């Protein structure tokens, strides 16, 4: 039995009258020490989109060798408010605006450059960019304030271009992480109050998990600084809150169950700890190992997320297993007020879930067919789904730079605001310019700068295609083929569009590498936990089907409800990883209990009993996790919103359909053979359960999870 695998002495001491206070004291001392050690840590501010060894990354590194490498140009695009052509007076007013721009510039501003239709003009202002978008945002803010104070009447002026876009992104994220944290805490608090029906109990797990999240934020920042990792702290926080709450729900649910048959609340808590710790540990190990496969990813943000998320989940595990139990022990049975569980006050447990499971087990084939049909309908949303958003589409919040890019695209060559950069040896630069000029869709190509030793030349290429469209991405391939063919030039192609092209290839490479590894990790964890080959294989197939269905449904909802016609590059991989790894969580909670029940009841009746006892807690955990992931939608980044939507939908479907219908149906159809080559019961227990009906399970005390 699971309860014998972990020493009872440890759980008894953890929850004893004296041991609980000692444990809490140790926990607080460790927290204070760690907060003190890592409190000042700051994560790197980088946000590289393409692999570190990609051609665009090489071009970016070479561009740092040029004079004034920290100087980039922003565009001020001007158009009339009434949509008519610019007059001579307008152009004179724009020329008079140049000295205003020069006050914020790193070099002399130029322009106006008028579009062919005469309806728009560009002013070019070189600025010194900061080490991060946040620093650059201060320069852009001052520039916009200066323009607003001197803006000619009747003209609309918008600051756009790469630095301005990055600054607007940084501005959109100001306070966003705090908002996410507050929304997450509010969601968890509300759902815990509803789950426990107690005005005080919810404070205990929420306090423990909030402390874990605070420590995780500091330790992941330190890890990011030490190993130069790029990652999204919002995802880490959501994982800590989501997984930590799930672990707490499982432990407290079992604690409440034990209180119904045990007078001593400390003994009940000790028993609950022993019987849930293996499932919680296996669940955590599965997700942590799955996340650690991301260290093999070539996309920097994906690579960094693996280590930092694993650190966050390990902290959540330690907090729930070693801080929550002693805190519950100190509070005692009264923490469940007003519905305090006492021996003899038990009602039939999980009547609704027992009824559903009994119906599924009676007609497993029909139940399985209906549930699989539902997943197939959801997966149909994958039809027509594309992957890859352009720079403007990646952010929910509209900005001045995004509006400006649209004006530039409407009146100038669409690639004017996002030039392509080619770095080549100076001696061959004229040939490289000629080769680039010959590529279809190139408006112009010309040399703009050389390194101090004149060994390298920077060439600016302007495209007629809008950035990140299929035509522009194909053009990058053609341009690279053309300039690579110039002998001795060693030309490399970079810039925003080239980075996007490399990012797409890198994310595709990561998906086909990481996805199989996640499945392999999940398989071995299930293999070790269930000591079966058949069950892990079938459960993984179900998880994959559920994940694909969720991604399909999420993609469809993004198109229909949010008008987002493509998924962002990182969404398919991260959604698949979270759906499979977190789905295995609920599989472990259910099937681990089912195996224990099968030892005395048989597989079919054992599964009914497992669903009856875990249906409520798994559903509560699933709703909490889905809601917490949905909180990512408060952030302005479309990637996180899509990820939250897909994982939220997937967790709900996984909880209500997969664990409630599909898994019980499969176990009922296959029967005891599902545990091959091991068996969860002995010959004696098989004799005892002969004649036992699935419809009328006998009364019993709580069994091991």
């Amino acid at each position: 039995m699971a309860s014998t695998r972990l020493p009872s002495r440890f759980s008894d001491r953890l929850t004893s009258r004296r041991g609980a206070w000692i444990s809490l004291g140790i926990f607080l001392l460790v927290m204070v020490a760690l907060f003190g050690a890592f409190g000042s840590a700051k994560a790197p501010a980088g946000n590289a989109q393409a692999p570190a060894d990609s051609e665009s990354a090489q071009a970016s590194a070479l561009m740092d060798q040029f004079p004034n490498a920290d100087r980039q140009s922003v565009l001020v695009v001007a158009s009339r408010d009434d949509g008519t052509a610019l007059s001579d007076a307008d152009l004179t007013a724009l020329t008079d605006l140049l000295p205003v721009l020069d006050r914020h510039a790193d070099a002399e501003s130029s322009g106006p450059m008028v579009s062919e239709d005469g309806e728009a003009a560009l002013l070019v202002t070189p600025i010194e960019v900061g080490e991060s978008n946040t620093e650059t945002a201060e320069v852009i803010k001052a520039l916009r304030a200066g323009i607003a104070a001197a803006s000619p009447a009747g003209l609309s002026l918008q600051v756009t271009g790469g630095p301005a876009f990055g600054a607007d992104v940084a501005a959109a994220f100001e306070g966003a992480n705090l908002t996410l944290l507050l929304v997450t805490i509010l969601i968890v608090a509300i759902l815990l109050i509803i789950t426990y029906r107690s005005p005080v109990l919810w404070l205990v797990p929420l306090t423990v998990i909030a402390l874990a999240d605070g420590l995780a934020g500091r330790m992941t920042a330190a890890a990011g600084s030490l190993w130069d990792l790029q990652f999204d702290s919002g995802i880490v926080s959501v994982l800590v809150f989501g997984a930590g709450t799930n672990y707490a729900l499982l432990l407290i649910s079992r604690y409440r169950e034990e209180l119904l048959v045990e007078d001593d609340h400390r003994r009940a808590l000790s028993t609950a700890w022993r019987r849930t710790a293996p499932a919680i540990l296996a669940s955590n190990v599965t997700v942590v190992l799955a996340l650690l496969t991301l260290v093999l990813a070539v996309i920097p943000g994906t690579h960094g997320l693996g280590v930092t998320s694993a650190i966050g989940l390990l902290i959540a595990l330690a907090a729930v297993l070693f801080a929550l139990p002693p805190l519950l022990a100190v509070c005692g049975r009264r923490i469940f007020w007003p519905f305090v569980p006492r021996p003899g006050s038990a009602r039939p447990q999980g009547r609704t879930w027992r009824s559903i499971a009994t119906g599924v087990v009676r007609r497993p084939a029909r139940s399985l067919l209906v549930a699989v049909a539902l997943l197939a309908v959801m997966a149909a949303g994958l039809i027509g789904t594309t992957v890859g958003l352009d720079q403007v589409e990646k952010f929910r919040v509209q900005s001045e730079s995004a509006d400006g890019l649209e004006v530039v695209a409407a009146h100038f060559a669409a690639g004017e605001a996002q030039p392509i950069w080619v770095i080549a040896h100076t001696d061959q630069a004229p040939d490289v310019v000629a080769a680039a000029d010959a590529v279809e869709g190139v408006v112009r190509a010309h040399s703009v700068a050389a390194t101090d030793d004149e060994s390298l030349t920077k060439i600016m290429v302007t495209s007629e295609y809008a950035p990140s469209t299929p035509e522009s991405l194909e053009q990058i391939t053609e341009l690279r083929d053309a300039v690579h063919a110039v002998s001795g030039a060693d030309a490399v192609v970079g810039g925003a569009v080239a980075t996007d092209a490399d990012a797409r290839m890198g994310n595709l490479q990561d998906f086909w590498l990481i996805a199989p590894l996640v499945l392999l990790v999940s398989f071995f964890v299930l293999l070790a936990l269930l000591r079966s080959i058949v069950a892990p294989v079938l459960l993984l197939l179900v998880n994959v089907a559920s994940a694909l269905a969720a991604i399909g449904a999420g993609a469809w909802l993004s198109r229909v409800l949010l008008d987002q016609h493509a998924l962002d590059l990182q969404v398919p991989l991260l959604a698949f990883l979270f759906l499979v790894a977190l789905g295995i969580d609920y599989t472990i909670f259910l099937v681990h209990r089912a195996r224990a029940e099968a030892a005395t009841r048989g597989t079919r009746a054992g599964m009914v009993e497992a669903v009856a006892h875990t249906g409520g807690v798994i559903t509560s955990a699933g709703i909490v996790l889905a809601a917490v992931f949905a909180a990512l939608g408060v952030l302005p980044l479309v990637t996180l919103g899509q990820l939250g939507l897909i994982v939220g939908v997937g967790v709900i479907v996984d909880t209500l359909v997969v664990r409630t219908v599909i898994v019980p149906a499969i176990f009922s159809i296959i029967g005891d053979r599902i545990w091959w080559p091991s068996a969860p019961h002995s010959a004696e227990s098989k004799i005892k359960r002969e004649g036992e009906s699935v419809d009328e399970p006998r009364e019993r005390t709580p069994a091991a999870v």
Side-chain angles (χ1 to χ4, degrees), residues 190-203 205 245-253 256 324 335-339 617 620:
I190 291 173
L191 292 174
L192 287 178
I193 291 172
I194 294 173
T195 300
Y196 294 135
R197 297 177 299 163
S198 168
V200 290
L201 175 59
W202 64 276
L203 287 168
T245 304
N246 279 0
Y247 303 154
L249 282 169
L250 186 65
L251 175 64
I252 295 175
S253 174
R256 183 202 293 268
L324 181 58
I335 195 67
F336 288 94
W337 182 87
F339 302 100
V617 67
S620 298

Side-chain angles (χ1 to χ4, degrees), residues 71-327:
R71 178 188 296 169
Q72 295 184 29
S73 294
V74 295
L75 304 178
V76 181
V77 56
S79 59
R80 286 195 59 83
D81 294 336
D82 57 13
T84 59
L86 297 170
S87 65
D88 290 340
D90 293 331
L91 297 179
T92 300
L94 290 176
T95 302
D96 293 341
L97 192 62
L98 291 176
V100 176
L101 303 182
D102 286 341
R103 294 172 196 160
H104 309 280
D106 191 47
E108 187 175 345
S109 302
S110 61
M113 182 173 67
V114 184
S115 62
E116 289 186 6
D117 59 13
E119 295 180 0
L122 290 178
L123 303 176
V124 181
T125 301
I127 66 168
E128 182 178 350
V129 298
E131 294 184 3
S132 67
N133 285 337
T134 302
E135 293 180 12
T136 304
E138 295 301 318
V139 179
I140 298 297
K141 182 179 180 180
L143 176 63
R144 284 173 173 161
I147 292 173
S151 179
L155 292 182
S156 174
L157 301 177
Q158 295 165 315
V159 178
T160 187
F165 193 84
D168 286 344
V169 170
F173 272 92
E174 284 182 5
N177 283 336
L178 177 60
T179 301
L180 174 64
L181 178 61
L182 294 177
V183 170
T184 301
I185 291 175
L186 180 63
I187 288 172
V188 172
I190 291 173
L191 292 174
L192 287 178
I193 291 172
I194 294 173
T195 300
Y196 294 135
R197 297 177 299 163
S198 168
V200 290
L201 175 59
W202 64 276
L203 287 168
V204 177
L206 185 59
T207 299
V208 171
I209 296 165
L211 286 173
D213 179 65
L215 179 59
R218 288 157 176 78
M219 291 191 68
T220 53
S225 179
L226 177 63
W227 296 313
D228 193 25
L229 301 175
Q230 300 176 21
F231 62 97
D232 192 294
S233 59
I235 294 180
V236 177
S237 185
V238 162
L239 282 173
V240 170
F241 267 98
T245 304
N246 279 0
Y247 303 154
L249 282 169
L250 186 65
L251 175 64
I252 295 175
S253 174
R254 190 53 189 258
Y255 177 36
R256 183 202 293 268
E257 189 177 330
E258 295 295 335
L259 287 173
L260 295 172
V261 296
E262 178 61 63
D263 289 317
D264 186 342
H265 75 273
R266 296 181 186 276
R267 189 178 302 163
L269 184 55
S270 176
T271 301
W273 190 93
R274 290 196 305 273
R275 292 179 174 174
T276 56
I280 292 173
L281 184 60
S283 167
N284 181 268
V285 168
T286 302
V287 182
V288 166
L289 291 179
L291 285 166
L292 287 177
T293 62
L294 294 179
V295 300
L296 301 176
V298 297
I299 299 298
T302 306
H303 170 85
L305 186 63
V307 174
T308 53
S309 296
I311 291 173
L313 286 180
L314 289 173
I315 293 172
L317 173 72
V320 171
L321 285 185
F322 304 120
L324 181 58
L327 191 56

Side-chain angles (χ1 to χ4, degrees), residues 513-527:
L513 172 65
I514 303 300
L517 289 177
V518 171
L519 295 176
L520 195 62
V521 166
S522 301
F523 173 77
F524 280 114
V525 171
L526 288 174
L527 188 69

Side-chain angles (χ1 to χ4, degrees), residues 201-570:
L201 175 59
W202 64 276
L203 287 168
V204 177
L206 185 59
T207 299
V208 171
I209 296 165
L211 286 173
D213 179 65
L215 179 59
R218 288 157 176 78
M219 291 191 68
T220 53
S225 179
L226 177 63
W227 296 313
D228 193 25
L229 301 175
Q230 300 176 21
F231 62 97
D232 192 294
S233 59
I235 294 180
V236 177
S237 185
V238 162
L239 282 173
V240 170
F241 267 98
T245 304
N246 279 0
Y247 303 154
L249 282 169
L250 186 65
L251 175 64
I252 295 175
S253 174
R254 190 53 189 258
Y255 177 36
R256 183 202 293 268
E257 189 177 330
E258 295 295 335
L259 287 173
L260 295 172
V261 296
E262 178 61 63
D263 289 317
D264 186 342
H265 75 273
R266 296 181 186 276
R267 189 178 302 163
L269 184 55
S270 176
T271 301
W273 190 93
R274 290 196 305 273
R275 292 179 174 174
T276 56
I280 292 173
L281 184 60
S283 167
N284 181 268
V285 168
T286 302
V287 182
V288 166
L289 291 179
L291 285 166
L292 287 177
T293 62
L294 294 179
V295 300
L296 301 176
V298 297
I299 299 298
T302 306
H303 170 85
L305 186 63
V307 174
T308 53
S309 296
I311 291 173
L313 286 180
L314 289 173
I315 293 172
L317 173 72
V320 171
L321 285 185
F322 304 120
L324 181 58
L327 191 56
L328 289 171
V330 169
C331 294
R333 193 187 299 263
R334 61 185 178 276
I335 195 67
F336 288 94
W337 182 87
F339 302 100
V340 180
R342 300 183 185 280
S345 65
R347 296 178 180 179
Q349 292 207 15
R351 287 179 295 178
T352 301
W353 298 107
R354 188 186 302 279
S355 176
I356 293 172
T358 300
V360 170
V361 170
R362 279 177 180 169
R363 300 176 180 84
R366 186 174 71 178
S367 301
L368 182 61
L369 183 62
V370 172
V372 169
L374 173 62
L375 295 186
V377 171
M378 293 173 61
L382 290 170
I383 299 174
T385 297
T386 57
V387 178
L389 301 171
D390 63 32
Q391 196 173 35
V392 174
E393 292 172 332
K394 289 181 179 181
F395 299 92
R396 279 191 308 107
V397 181
Q398 195 67 2
S399 63
E400 180 178 329
S401 57
D403 293 339
L405 284 176
E406 293 179 358
V407 175
V408 172
H411 299 285
F412 293 88
E416 194 76 55
Q418 296 283 5
I420 303 167
W421 299 102
V422 181
I423 312 298
H425 288 306
T426 299
D427 292 343
Q428 286 75 32
D431 295 334
V432 172
V433 170
D437 253 331
V439 174
E440 184 178 355
V442 170
V443 175
R444 61 182 176 273
H446 61 284
S447 300
V448 294
T451 53
D452 290 334
D453 61 3
E454 297 188 353
S455 61
L456 296 175
T457 294
K458 180 164 60 176
I459 300 166
M460 185 171 76
V461 179
T462 303
S463 171
E464 70 177 33
Y465 304 130
S468 298
T469 58
E471 295 83 3
S472 71
L473 295 172
E474 179 62 29
Q475 184 183 57
I476 292 296
T477 301
E478 295 173 0
L479 181 61
R480 283 174 170 168
D481 289 341
V483 300
H484 291 171
V486 178
S487 179
D490 292 333
V492 291
V493 177
V497 181
T499 298
D500 190 13
D502 291 338
R504 291 171 188 249
M505 291 299 297
N507 277 283
L508 185 62
Q509 176 184 333
D510 284 347
F511 184 87
W512 292 117
L513 172 65
I514 303 300
L517 289 177
V518 171
L519 295 176
L520 195 62
V521 166
S522 301
F523 173 77
F524 280 114
V525 171
L526 288 174
L527 188 69
L529 186 71
L530 302 178
R531 301 187 302 281
S532 164
I533 294 176
V534 178
V537 170
L538 293 176
L539 291 171
L540 276 182
L541 289 175
V542 170
N543 259 41
V544 170
S546 176
L548 293 177
I551 295 172
W556 181 80
L557 289 172
S558 291
R559 293 195 297 270
V560 174
L561 300 181
L562 306 178
D563 196 30
Q564 297 165 358
H565 299 287
L567 297 178
D568 200 22
L569 296 177
Q570 289 181 290

Side-chain angles (χ1 to χ4, degrees), residues 638-663:
V638 168
T639 303
L640 300 181
Q642 290 180 339
L643 183 63
L645 174 64
I646 291 173
V647 175
V649 169
V651 168
I652 293 296
V653 170
D654 201 73
T655 302
L656 298 179
V657 178
V658 175
R659 306 303 151 220
T660 307
V661 179
I662 294 180
V663 172

